[in-house]
Amino acid sequence: MRNDEIQSLRNLDFNLLKTLLVLLEHKHISKSAEILFISQPAVSKQLNKLRDMFDDPLLVRTGNQLVLTPKATRLFPLVQNLCQQLRALVLPEELDLTQIEANVSIMCSDYASPNWMTQLLAQVNREAPNVSITCKNWSEENIQKLYKGDINFALGPMVGAESLCESASLGDHENGYIARHDHPLFSMSQDEKSLALKTFPLVKMKGSKRYQQIYESAFEQNVTLIDEVGLWLALETLKTTNAIMVGPKKFVQSLTLSGEFNYETLESLPSIPIAVCWTSGLTSDPFYRWFCDKVVTIGLSLVNQK
């Protein structure tokens, strides 16, 4: 290491890193004091030191709240990654999963819940019983939270934003549609079905924009009966109407196990990409690396399942 690099490190007070991370995350003096178990004046004093250290106000008041400066916004993911790496230095090589208490946040749509999430929950509960999972809706707001580290994982691709997070591509997946088991479509010939598919109303679930764009391009003539709906109401609607619902093949196939619905593959639709994304630097922590491996392994098994 060069002398000038050593000198620049001397100017940094690493004891303030934890305070900096908490302040950037919560943007609140009193709340940060509670989390750090120190007084509000002590947090304010440390914030002043940090402002001198970085030659920037870091947090500025706008109305009744503190907001990050542009420099603080750039620093936030770097500080998160650095703190995770420092924590990894003192963690034991072998994880005792039964002793870990953590909450993991995952952004996903209902498309992932019947298969991917249920298997993940079962395995995590068995191997790491003190770990809880919080599911977040797929939305633009939550995508931004993933980039910032406020949400840990996303079950789905981040198209065009690969540099803002880390990801693993798991392959492509066919699509299909589901309808009630006695729907007129299932008694038609293939030629009749191709025409009739575009005449029945659609049930559209909350989900990835990428998926919805593919589905809407193929069914742009169809009337939308209900949009942005959750899984329970979607299924209840399908039971009592002639509507159909399009989705990943494994997803719609899993919904037919009750015998109330039937499904068919839509070979005319392009395959959809399956991926896992996570906040940059997250897996430098051994626990999150274990968790990420678990998510990817389950996803791969579903994609490759015949």
Side-chain angles (χ1 to χ4, degrees), residues 22-196:
V22 173
L23 282 168
L24 294 180
E25 183 174 352
H26 295 282
K27 300 181 279 293
H28 199 284
I29 299 293
S30 59
K31 187 173 183 179
S32 296
E34 291 177 12
I35 293 171
L36 294 165
F37 297 103
I38 60 177
S39 67
Q40 290 186 39
V43 172
S44 296
K45 184 176 180 180
Q46 291 184 15
L47 176 57
N48 288 332
K49 288 183 179 179
L50 288 164
R51 285 168 168 164
D52 290 339
M53 186 186 305
F54 291 100
D55 192 25
D56 187 86
L58 300 175
L59 291 159
V60 294
R61 185 164 296 281
T62 301
N64 294 324
Q65 61 182 356
L66 292 173
V67 298
L68 303 186
T69 64
K71 185 170 186 176
T73 301
R74 293 194 300 273
L75 284 172
F76 189 20
L78 300 175
V79 174
Q80 281 183 311
N81 292 344
L82 181 56
C83 287
Q84 287 165 358
Q85 290 167 11
L86 289 172
R87 181 169 176 260
L89 288 175
V90 298
L91 285 176
E93 284 296 318
E94 293 295 327
L95 282 177
D96 184 355
L97 294 171
T98 63
Q99 298 301 310
I100 291 179
E101 297 183 9
N103 177 264
V104 182
S105 52
I106 302 177
M107 179 174 62
C108 62
S109 70
D110 281 343
Y111 291 130
S113 57
N115 289 299
W116 209 341
M117 282 301 298
T118 51
Q119 289 192 39
L120 177 64
L121 287 165
Q123 293 188 31
V124 169
N125 180 250
R126 184 170 60 250
E127 298 176 38
N130 297 314
V131 172
S132 61
I133 294 175
T134 299
C135 291
K136 299 290 186 179
N137 291 331
W138 196 282
S139 68
E140 186 59 40
E141 178 184 0
N142 284 337
I143 289 173
Q144 296 302 318
K145 288 183 177 181
L146 177 81
Y147 299 154
K148 295 177 182 177
D150 296 331
I151 291 177
N152 305 127
F153 293 93
L155 304 187
M158 296 291 166
V159 180
E162 291 80 358
S163 63
L164 299 176
C165 63
E166 296 181 58
S167 64
S169 177
L170 308 184
D172 295 324
H173 200 30
E174 292 180 302
N175 294 286
Y177 72 90
I178 184 175
R180 69 173 197 271
H181 69 92
D182 58 348
H183 194 284
L185 279 169
F186 300 123
S187 60
M188 295 180 183
S189 68
Q190 197 59 47
D191 290 340
E192 292 174 325
K193 197 175 297 180
S194 298
L195 295 173

